[in-house]
Structure formats: structure tokens, C-alpha cells
Amino acid sequence: MANGRNGNGDLNFEADLFKAADKLRGNLEPSEYKHVALGLIFLKYISEAFEAQRKKLEQEEFADLEDPEEYLKDRVFWVPDIARWSYLKDNARARDLKIIDPVTNKEKKVDIGGLIDAAMEAIEKANSTTLKGVLPKDYGRPALDKEMIGDLVELFSDVTMHVEGEKARDLLGRAYEYFLSGFAGAEGRRGGEFFTPRSVVRVMVEMLEPYKGRVYDPCCGSGGMFVQSEKFIEDHSDQQHVEEAKRQISIYGQERNHTTWKLCKMNLAVRGIDADIKWNNEGSFTRDEFSNTYFDFILANPPFNVSDWWRESLAEDIRWTEFGTPPQGNANYAWLSHIYHHLAPRGTAGVVLANGSMSSQQSGEGEIRRKMIEEDAVDCMVALPGQLFYSTQIPACLWFLAKSKSANGHRDRRGQFLFIDARKLGVMVDRTRREFTPEDIEKIAGTYHSWRNKDGGYEDVPGFCKSASKEEVSKHGYVLTPGRYVGAEDAEDDGVPFEERISSLRHTLKAQFEQARILESQITTNLLRLAE
């Protein structure tokens, strides 16, 4: 980035920063390098937050600057001397630095990699309730280029040039999220396992509007659903009361991949988001960490079409009592049942699934879908365009579920379903991937709200959206593919009378047939000449 990576007035500083950092990784694989870069951004963030709090305390007459509680009470991590960014920056080229090991309390010599490991250990030790076992601590391994680490420390040191306080922390949060996105793109299919594209999440969040209550993701990846939920509150709240508004939601998540769980914990910490994120290697089906908890909003992008999810212990599970036991060879309807089970009495959910979930009849899926429709569990279906995701080219859709569709602050939509065909929306941001624009997001979410809310002024739009009755869905065999309901887009009226248009088409067709006969004659003549 020219003239400093400060983000001050530069909306693309994250992209420039990522490009600069990516140049430093050399032959290191993106899947490995992401933990190096993201760990350093995390260190930079908590150090910025610590220093900002320290400046505030300096203005207070009786504050003890060296008391960790003075920081923790305001949700700021305590950062020991050895982990403060200014110290790391001063020693970015260290080779034989003497430090006191935070684990053994003995003196040892380290390079910059070993110093960062010691910093991570010290931070975890000082904030064990929140960060124990979360931070990466393998910067000192011999295979990692210490010149590259030093370059990264100096690169990230420039992020907040001319920017201070909360603004600096927000820039680092933006950088962390952008880096997650960049690494997901670089890793392709594997990257999609920890990151859902932001524009897709924004559609879901804008539709569900999680202003107040419990928010849950049973396969939370790196926490993008939670980041965008809080971003929604920031965008739709009085700026003087944003922090108060944020406290109106509680966040819960579960993730079975331990490395991804670490990314999530750091991502939320960088954003200053309090959350209860559980990890176990069995997953939400076999070991549901929130089995007795119900949520107002659920957002999820579970892995598509998982075939090895079933365990015999799940045979009589309470989550299948509503719609029936899901097929053992595909987890799609297991996710829907799990999510619906965890909805509070007026809870709503948004779920990303493969398109096949809307129409499959295999292994009883059609019967489960029929029961969901008959019991009014489905609220809205959105068909998505291709190339939105890093992890798969399988066409995807959004399911929106509702525990109750009766009129309670909303229009009574019992027995009705909204279908939105968004396959023509979005723009290509590179050769392989598409994104929704802000206008696309507003169009989709606005359509849903006008349908769902009282006096919303909803109207069907041929080719885009349709409000269908339970009887109509039944006639379509309980298939939920939006294209079956929205119909074709109205042709634009060019003012030409129908008879005149048909006559013109007839003349055009006649001329094309004549041209085809001439070409056929010429080809036949040429073939005969070749045969002589």
C-alpha cells in the first residue's frame, strides 16, 4: 500500500495488506501460513486494545495501571510486558534475545519466533479463562523462516499509522476477517470448511434481523455468522448506544475441528465479541453441547451431503421426533431437524444447504420435507447463484425456518411460503467467484420483510419471488425449488403489436430456412467434388 498501511480513508487497505503479507509467505502453504499471519494480527489487536485502556486509566486518579482487573473488567485482555507489540516490534530481528520463559520461569535465548511463542504463552496464562489452548505457539519451529516473521511484524506495525484507539482496533478486526476470506480463497475446498463468504452471511443476517436474544451456530467455523450479527447491530443502532445494543444478544456456537475452533475464538476476540463457543471432536449430532438450550436466531452453513454422520446412539434421539429420523447416508435433513429442534417458541433460522435438499426423494427425505411443510416449519426458500462459495461448486440454496408463523408483530403467514429466485443476482469478483452486491442483499432481504411484516406491501414479481400456499406446494409434490413457483420474468413491452411481431418472426424464420437450404446445397456439391 502506498504511503503506509493505515486504512485512514482507504477502503481497500485490507486487500492491500493481504497482498503485501501474501508476498512474504514464500513457499509456505496457505493452510499453514494463515495461522502465522492471523496469530500476529491477534497479538497486534489485543496489544492495541491494552494500550488504549492503559491511556484511559492514566486519566483516572486512583487507577492501578499494573492491575490486570482494571483491564479485564472492561473486557480487555491483560497483556504482559513480553507480549506487548512495541516489544515485539523492537525485537523483530532478534536472534539471541534473553527472556524469562513464562512457563518455566527460567532464562532462555530466543529468536523472534521463540519470542512470539513466549508472548502467546504469557497471554494465555494471564487470560486462561478465555484463551487457554487457543493461540498458535509454533513460531519458533526451525522450518519457519524467521526473516519472514520479522517482515510480518514490521508490516503489521504500520496498520495503525495516524490512527488511534477504537479506530485502530476496528481496522485490525477488518484485517482479520479479510485475511480469513483471502486464505479461504487460496485454500479452495478446504478453505470453505472454516469460512462462509461474507455476502452470503449478510443476506442471512439481514433477513433474520438478530436485534435481541440468543444467536447460535451448530457448526460455526471461524465465526463469520457471529461477526456479521454484531455488524448488523452496529449498522442499525443509534451510534451512541451501540455497545448497549450489542449486550442484547448472546452468542453460542459449536465446532468439531479444533484448529478451526481456535480461529473462531481469535476472530471473536479481535472483534471484542463475548461468546460461548464449544469444541469437541464428535460434533453437534453425537455430542450436542447445548442440548437443553433454545435459541431466537440460528445461522448455519453445515457441510453439504455428509454421508458418515450417523451413530447408533442417535436412533431414538429427541431431535427426530418432529419430522422423523433422517437418512443415515446424508446429513442434510439431520441438520435441519437439529436446528429446528433448538429454536425458541418464536425463533427463526437460516441454513445454507445443497440444492438437492429442496427436491430429493431418497431415503425418506421427501417424507421429512412433506412433514416440515405440513407443520409450517418452512418460512422462505432462496435459490442462490453459482460460484458463491470457496468450498464447492455444488449449487446451493437458503432454507429459512420459523417455529411460529402466526401474527405477533408480523403478518400471519401460516400455510404460506415465500420463494425467492436469486440465481441471476451477484457479480463476478474474480475468475471463479461471485458475490452479492449491497443492492442484491437489500433486494432479497427487503422482499422477505415486505412479505413477513404487517403492511409490508408485498407483491409477487414474476421470475423473482412468489408467495405460495400449502396447497400449491402440495401440488408440486412438496418440492421447494423456487424456480417451480416464481415463473418466468415478464417480457419487456417494446410497443410492437403482437401480430406484427409474429409476422416479423415468420419472415425471419423463412429467410433463415432459405439460407440453410443454400448452405446444404453448397456442402453437398463440395462433397461430390471431393469424391471424384
Side-chain angles (χ1 to χ4, degrees):
M1 179 184 299
N3 302 321
R5 287 165 289 280
N6 53 52
N8 191 14
D10 183 356
L11 297 178
N12 295 311
F13 95 96
E14 309 102 312
D16 291 338
L17 186 66
F18 182 80
K19 289 177 183 177
D22 195 47
K23 288 179 181 178
L24 299 177
R25 70 179 173 92
N27 295 324
L28 207 60
E29 288 295 321
S31 58
E32 186 178 9
Y33 182 63
K34 74 168 177 277
H35 301 290
V36 175
L38 292 172
L40 286 176
I41 293 176
F42 175 81
L43 275 182
K44 183 71 161 67
Y45 167 81
I46 64 170
S47 187
E48 291 283 349
F50 175 84
E51 294 298 341
Q53 179 71 0
R54 194 178 185 86
K55 286 183 178 179
K56 289 180 183 178
L57 293 175
E58 288 173 350
Q59 308 304 315
E60 298 179 13
E61 186 174 355
F62 299 107
D64 182 355
L65 299 184
E66 298 306 316
D67 180 4
E69 290 301 321
E70 294 278 14
Y71 299 82
L72 298 175
K73 66 182 176 65
D74 288 328
R75 299 193 300 170
V76 174
F77 294 111
W78 170 256
V79 182
D81 289 344
I82 196 174
R84 295 175 190 174
W85 192 262
S86 56
Y87 183 65
L88 298 177
K89 181 183 177 183
D90 289 344
N91 292 283
R93 304 298 172 184
R95 289 295 181 184
D96 293 305
L97 181 68
K98 291 182 180 181
I99 66 167
I100 302 298
D101 189 302
V103 177
T104 65
N105 289 322
K106 296 180 179 178
E107 186 178 87
K108 69 175 183 179
K109 289 183 178 181
V110 296
D111 55 20
I112 181 58
L115 178 58
I116 292 171
D117 286 341
M120 296 290 191
E121 291 280 8
I123 289 168
E124 283 196 1
K125 186 176 180 180
N127 305 274
S128 58
T129 302
T130 306
L131 295 178
K132 185 177 181 179
V134 170
L135 305 184
K137 295 180 285 290
D138 56 358
Y139 289 83
R141 66 188 189 274
L144 206 56
D145 181 0
K146 303 309 182 289
E147 286 296 321
M148 177 266 289
I149 296 176
D151 289 341
L152 278 175
V153 170
E154 293 181 349
L155 178 69
F156 294 149
S157 295
D158 292 343
V159 173
T160 58
M161 192 182 298
H162 311 309
V163 184
E164 296 180 356
E166 293 297 322
K167 178 65 175 175
R169 294 167 60 188
D170 180 60
L171 292 180
L172 287 163
R174 284 168 51 189
Y176 192 97
E177 184 180 11
Y178 191 92
F179 271 57
L180 281 172
S181 171
F183 288 126
E187 290 186 62
R189 182 176 180 82
R190 290 177 59 190
E193 295 175 3
F194 69 83
F195 186 81
T196 304
R198 181 168 58 177
S199 74
V200 177
V201 181
R202 290 292 291 177
V203 168
M204 299 167 73
V205 169
E206 290 289 341
M207 290 178 73
L208 293 183
E209 297 185 306
Y211 280 112
K212 182 178 180 180
R214 291 175 170 175
V215 180
Y216 170 59
D217 184 345
C219 42
C220 62
S222 55
M225 300 288 186
F226 307 137
V227 170
Q228 291 304 320
S229 293
E230 290 232 342
K231 183 68 166 58
F232 172 84
I233 292 173
E234 292 174 3
D235 292 344
H236 295 81
S237 300
D238 180 347
Q239 291 305 302
Q240 293 183 338
H241 303 94
V242 168
E243 291 305 315
E244 181 182 340
K246 286 182 181 179
R247 286 192 287 271
Q248 298 299 306
I249 67 169
S250 303
I251 288 173
Y252 303 81
Q254 183 166 343
E255 174 57 45
R256 70 180 298 176
N257 183 301
H258 194 250
T259 302
T260 302
W261 173 78
K262 290 181 180 182
L263 289 178
C264 179
K265 293 281 284 187
M266 286 195 292
N267 190 18
L268 299 183
V270 164
R271 287 290 187 174
I273 298 174
D274 284 337
D276 186 359
I277 310 297
K278 303 291 188 183
W279 168 80
N280 67 63
N281 59 9
E282 297 171 273
S284 293
F285 293 137
T286 304
R287 187 175 167 189
D288 185 358
E289 295 283 359
F290 302 99
S291 58
N292 297 314
T293 310
Y294 301 93
F295 304 95
D296 302 287
F297 306 97
I298 300 178
L299 300 108
N301 177 18
F304 295 172
N305 305 320
V306 173
S307 60
D308 60 350
W309 71 280
W310 179 258
R311 302 292 181 271
E312 287 303 320
S313 60
L314 298 173
E316 303 296 328
D317 198 281
I318 191 174
R319 289 169 289 184
W320 323 141
T321 56
E322 195 94 30
F323 310 120
T325 304
Q328 298 180 14
N330 192 314
N332 288 345
Y333 278 85
W335 285 115
L336 290 172
S337 296
H338 172 87
I339 288 165
Y340 189 78
H341 170 78
H342 275 290
L343 284 176
R346 291 201 58 78
T348 52
V351 189
V352 185
L353 281 178
N355 272 3
S357 63
M358 298 188 289
S359 58
S360 173
Q361 302 293 336
Q362 296 179 355
S363 306
E365 288 183 335
E367 179 61 17
I368 295 175
R369 188 170 57 252
R370 181 190 68 79
K371 289 181 180 178
M372 294 182 72
I373 293 165
E374 291 291 349
E375 295 181 28
D376 247 357
V378 181
D379 199 33
C380 175
M381 299 296 301
V382 180
L384 298 175
Q387 298 179 282
L388 284 175
F389 297 90
Y390 298 105
S391 57
T392 180
Q393 294 303 313
I394 297 174
C397 61
L398 300 179
W399 288 67
F400 288 89
L401 309 179
K403 203 73 170 184
S404 172
K405 292 162 68 174
S406 60
N408 180 8
H410 296 291
R411 182 183 300 169
D412 190 338
R413 284 295 187 182
R414 285 174 290 184
Q416 295 176 295
F417 309 88
L418 179 63
F419 294 93
I420 296 176
D421 190 344
R423 289 177 297 175
K424 295 181 180 179
L425 301 184
V427 296
M428 297 300 294
V429 293
D430 56 41
R431 292 186 303 104
T432 61
R433 200 170 61 80
R434 181 183 300 271
E435 282 185 359
F436 285 125
T437 66
E439 293 74 22
D440 295 332
I441 296 170
E442 182 179 353
K443 181 177 182 179
I444 296 168
T447 298
Y448 176 69
H449 294 151
S450 68
W451 178 80
R452 191 73 179 92
N453 298 340
K454 287 184 176 179
D455 304 319
Y458 171 81
E459 292 183 0
D460 290 340
V461 177
F464 179 68
C465 61
K466 166 72 175 178
S467 180
S469 67
K470 191 178 294 184
E471 290 73 23
E472 289 177 87
V473 176
S474 173
K475 290 177 182 177
H476 282 279
Y478 297 98
V479 169
L480 293 176
T481 307
R484 291 206 177 193
Y485 300 91
V486 302
E489 186 176 356
D490 284 342
E492 190 173 320
D493 186 2
D494 57 6
V496 180
F498 178 76
E499 294 80 3
E500 187 175 329
R501 185 182 292 113
I502 288 295
S503 178
S504 176
L505 289 172
R506 187 180 294 115
H507 285 298
T508 299
L509 186 60
K510 184 178 179 181
Q512 289 175 342
F513 282 156
E514 182 62 31
Q515 183 65 27
R517 282 193 291 270
I518 293 171
L519 289 172
E520 182 181 2
S521 177
Q522 289 175 345
I523 292 170
T524 302
T525 300
N526 290 335
L527 288 173
L528 289 173
R529 287 175 180 171
L530 288 172
E532 291 176 353

